[in-house]
Amino acid sequence: MTTPTPAYTDTQSALTTAQIDAVRLHIKKTWKTLTRSHEHLLQSARDTKLEHKKDACWIVYISPLEDSPKIRSVLERSLSPKDMECLEIRTLPSEVEAIKDHGLLYLPGPYVVPGGRFNEMYGWDSYFILLGLLHDGELELAQSQVDQLLYQVQNYGIILNSNRTYMLSRSQPPVLSMMVLALFEHTQDEEWLRSIVPLLEQFYYYWVVPPHLNAATGLSRFYAFGEGPAPEVVFSERDEQGKSHYDRVKEYYKTFEVEDYDVSLYYNQETDQLTNLFYKSDRTMRESGFDITNRFGPFSADILHYAPVCLNSLLYQVELDMAQIKHILGNEQLEQKWSNRADIRRDRIDQFLWDEEQGLYFDYHFQSGKRRRYEFATTFYPLWLGIASPTQAKRVVKNLSLFEAPGGIFTSTRVTGNQWDAPFGWAPLTLIAVQGLHRYGYHTEGDRIANKFLAMVVKEFERHNTLVEKYDVERCSANVSDEICFGYSSNEVGFGWTNGAILELLAIGDKKV
């Protein structure tokens, strides 16, 4: 048994075993309350983010590739007649535009939802949830979590932002291959791994061909296919005066001068209307998972014109993961092919996203040919995934003080009124930063940040008896609603990816003793 590092000794003295055990027990119990399966279908179908007539049925759509009558009979055996009366089972139209009434997209197995208003399965949340399930020995549920994402690729074309019809036109950050290999470590099921390779490749190609590919750089961008206002935003993201998020955006454009981009692309001042391009960008910003931040200009309206650090770092990891899978399955030729793709992407990340002068990774603007020097926690992704050279990692660590907060890692260095900017911090980004620091040997720094985040989470858990979606890491508080001006201001409880990140951070500490 080795001696604990000073940072984790401090954690143990600041947090007792009883305090940590209480959080662990809460997380273990929460997996059950956050799990949705056939027997919870009515609960899953309910959606507070859309207007719903009091006596109307909740709609569940079955993939047109499925045997709808067979699935209906399965559901009838799983649910009470009373619950079935409250549900309307439909076959999903083959064209998204033909959907008139929104509803839940059927998934065949159990899955874990984030919590609160997010009562459906989310794409990148699922990676952090999976880590937590694996730590907690919930192997069957972990397997199902991955299988539902694979089912989405097979039956709905991609991994969806979430399994609701209004999110059929956008995905979320690509973490599927990481999930597959994390699960495979526990199961060693090569037959299963071989069987899902076509689905992994299908999802990869979604990201690396136009319109997601920018041919000039060879890097990818986020790009949502839907048009017009996002339905869930119009109804649910309203303030006390009844103004929607989009109303508040228009007021901002009328009131403030914007120098980050050409506002006329996104807002028509004469008609006081947001443009079609604004709504396309707004949906795309939601595909990125970072809704909302000013990282790509106010409301991220200019996101379509950027190669993001986060997305391209994740695609590098997908290429490495595919190489590893080909190695496991004994195909050396294809292993080399995928490794070469990763090498090419690493070079392009170096060329376009690394800023030598600032010592940080920034998003690249295609049109101006410049990086946007907006300090954002995604600068830690290349450390997390091993893309940075030791020299680049050292430069990023020199800038750590820009992001380090009393409660972990600031999402950005700017206070904008958006939840994905300062003073807010999120468990996944703190975990990414900590793991990136450890990967390059900066253990003191990584332990210190993990220590801060865990201390804050435990303190707020003891105050509120719950774990939440995000925190004010400046004040070390879960009370964030009054500080958020755009998007939804609530702090959702549950919370799936916070649970997983906490268990992963605790595991880092456990490995040191």
Side-chain angles (χ1 to χ4, degrees), residues 112-168:
V112 177
V113 303
R117 72 198 290 263
F118 301 114
N119 183 35
E120 52 275 311
M121 186 180 200
Y122 282 79
W124 74 315
D125 292 64
S126 291
Y127 170 70
F128 302 96
I129 287 169
L130 178 80
L131 296 180
L133 293 174
L134 292 173
H135 279 303
D136 260 344
E138 300 280 356
L139 191 58
E140 190 175 337
L141 187 52
Q143 177 75 61
S144 187
Q145 191 80 5
V146 177
D147 286 342
Q148 304 323 300
L149 295 177
L150 293 164
Y151 180 90
Q152 288 183 30
V153 177
Q154 187 165 22
N155 288 273
Y156 302 120
I158 54 171
I159 288 175
L160 303 169
N161 187 158
S162 82
N163 59 317
R164 301 279 183 191
T165 50
Y166 49 81
M167 295 189 181
L168 276 164

Side-chain angles (χ1 to χ4, degrees), residues 237-441:
E237 297 185 7
R238 293 186 176 271
D239 60 20
E240 293 175 355
Q241 287 78 43
K243 295 175 183 174
S244 74
H245 167 65
Y246 298 126
D247 293 329
R248 296 192 295 276
V249 171
K250 287 190 288 185
E251 285 186 355
Y252 183 93
Y253 283 144
K254 279 190 287 189
T255 307
F256 298 101
E257 187 174 343
V258 176
E259 297 179 351
D260 305 76
Y261 49 68
D262 180 357
V263 174
S264 67
L265 293 171
Y266 305 110
Y267 173 66
N268 186 322
Q269 194 165 12
E270 290 182 9
T271 61
D272 188 28
Q273 294 297 317
L274 299 171
T275 67
N276 292 335
L277 183 60
F278 176 87
Y279 291 120
K280 169 77 75 175
S281 300
D282 179 75
R283 288 168 174 261
T284 298
M285 173 262 296
R286 297 171 198 283
E287 178 171 79
S288 78
F290 294 102
D291 49 330
I292 302 168
T293 167
N294 282 8
R295 177 179 162 198
F296 305 101
F299 317 110
S300 285
D302 213 26
I303 189 172
L304 287 164
H305 303 130
Y306 280 91
V309 173
C310 51
L311 175 58
N312 286 284
S313 297
L314 288 171
L315 289 173
Y316 167 84
Q317 186 63 45
V318 174
E319 290 154 354
L320 281 189
D321 289 343
M322 293 305 297
Q324 184 179 345
I325 289 168
K326 298 300 180 182
H327 175 77
I328 292 167
L329 299 177
N331 193 324
E332 290 183 13
Q333 187 177 355
L334 288 177
E335 177 190 354
Q336 190 60 51
K337 176 183 172 184
W338 283 100
S339 292
N340 292 343
R341 287 180 175 176
D343 289 342
I344 291 168
R345 189 174 300 275
R346 182 203 289 264
D347 290 343
R348 288 171 175 162
I349 288 172
D350 270 350
Q351 180 182 351
F352 294 106
L353 307 181
W354 171 250
D355 194 297
E356 180 65 29
E357 186 179 344
Q358 296 293 311
L360 290 169
Y361 289 90
F362 292 118
D363 307 308
Y364 180 80
H365 191 250
F366 304 131
Q367 293 176 326
S368 66
K370 296 178 180 178
R371 286 176 288 274
R372 176 170 163 83
R373 288 180 169 176
Y374 195 91
E375 297 94 353
F376 205 81
T378 48
T379 196
F380 295 104
Y381 274 58
L383 279 68
W384 178 45
L385 302 174
I387 297 167
S389 69
T391 302
Q392 288 169 324
K394 186 176 183 180
R395 295 288 309 284
V396 172
V397 174
K398 279 189 175 180
N399 283 308
L400 187 58
S401 60
L402 293 172
F403 297 95
E404 187 169 351
I409 289 289
F410 285 123
T411 306
S412 81
T413 61
R414 322 284 179 93
V415 176
T416 64
N418 296 318
Q419 64 173 351
W420 285 99
D421 279 310
F424 307 114
W426 298 69
L429 290 183
T430 293
L431 175 63
I432 285 167
V434 168
Q435 291 184 327
L437 291 166
H438 279 293
R439 182 166 192 157
Y440 285 84

Side-chain angles (χ1 to χ4, degrees), residues 206-221 345 348 366:
Y206 170 81
W207 294 103
V208 297
V209 298
H212 284 92
L213 175 69
N214 173 256
T217 60
L219 295 173
S220 293
R221 63 173 176 170
R345 189 174 300 275
R348 288 171 175 162
F366 304 131

Side-chain angles (χ1 to χ4, degrees), residues 5-255:
T5 63
Y8 273 78
T9 302
D10 291 346
T11 302
Q12 297 305 320
S13 63
L15 299 175
T16 66
T17 302
Q19 287 177 303
I20 293 171
D21 286 349
V23 171
R24 286 187 187 274
L25 180 62
H26 174 82
I27 291 172
K28 183 73 172 176
K29 290 179 178 177
T30 303
W31 296 132
K32 186 174 183 180
T33 61
L34 294 177
T35 297
R36 303 290 180 267
S37 62
H38 284 167
E39 64 188 73
H40 309 104
L41 190 62
L42 179 56
Q43 181 184 356
S44 305
R46 291 193 176 106
D47 186 4
T48 60
K49 296 184 292 303
L50 290 187
E51 188 173 10
H52 185 76
K53 293 178 182 176
K54 186 178 180 182
D55 297 322
C57 290
W58 294 96
I59 303 170
V60 178
Y61 285 96
I62 309 296
S63 163
L65 302 178
E66 286 280 27
D67 184 339
S68 193
K70 182 179 178 182
I71 290 174
R72 178 186 285 274
S73 67
V74 169
L75 295 176
E76 286 173 348
R77 291 195 298 272
S78 303
L79 293 161
S80 68
K82 184 178 179 182
D83 281 358
M84 283 300 293
E85 285 177 10
C86 299
L87 293 169
E88 182 180 345
I89 311 298
R90 297 184 187 178
T91 298
L92 184 69
S94 55
E95 297 292 332
V96 174
E97 293 76 17
I99 299 169
K100 303 300 180 188
D101 305 303
H102 287 296
L104 182 76
L105 294 165
Y106 169 81
L107 296 173
Y111 54 91
V112 177
V113 303
R117 72 198 290 263
F118 301 114
N119 183 35
E120 52 275 311
M121 186 180 200
Y122 282 79
W124 74 315
D125 292 64
S126 291
Y127 170 70
F128 302 96
I129 287 169
L130 178 80
L131 296 180
L133 293 174
L134 292 173
H135 279 303
D136 260 344
E138 300 280 356
L139 191 58
E140 190 175 337
L141 187 52
Q143 177 75 61
S144 187
Q145 191 80 5
V146 177
D147 286 342
Q148 304 323 300
L149 295 177
L150 293 164
Y151 180 90
Q152 288 183 30
V153 177
Q154 187 165 22
N155 288 273
Y156 302 120
I158 54 171
I159 288 175
L160 303 169
N161 187 158
S162 82
N163 59 317
R164 301 279 183 191
T165 50
Y166 49 81
M167 295 189 181
L168 276 164
S169 61
R170 64 183 188 256
S171 185
Q172 274 208 316
V175 292
L176 178 61
S177 63
M178 296 170 69
M179 294 180 68
V180 163
L181 284 174
L183 181 63
F184 179 77
E185 273 188 41
H186 288 74
T187 66
Q188 295 297 305
D189 187 345
E190 287 191 22
E191 186 179 343
W192 171 77
L193 188 64
R194 190 182 303 277
S195 72
I196 65 171
V197 165
L199 296 175
L200 291 173
E201 292 180 343
Q202 180 180 335
F203 187 49
Y204 169 76
Y205 283 111
Y206 170 81
W207 294 103
V208 297
V209 298
H212 284 92
L213 175 69
N214 173 256
T217 60
L219 295 173
S220 293
R221 63 173 176 170
F222 292 108
Y223 187 97
F225 291 94
E227 305 292 337
E232 76 279 15
V233 176
V234 173
F235 178 73
S236 68
E237 297 185 7
R238 293 186 176 271
D239 60 20
E240 293 175 355
Q241 287 78 43
K243 295 175 183 174
S244 74
H245 167 65
Y246 298 126
D247 293 329
R248 296 192 295 276
V249 171
K250 287 190 288 185
E251 285 186 355
Y252 183 93
Y253 283 144
K254 279 190 287 189
T255 307

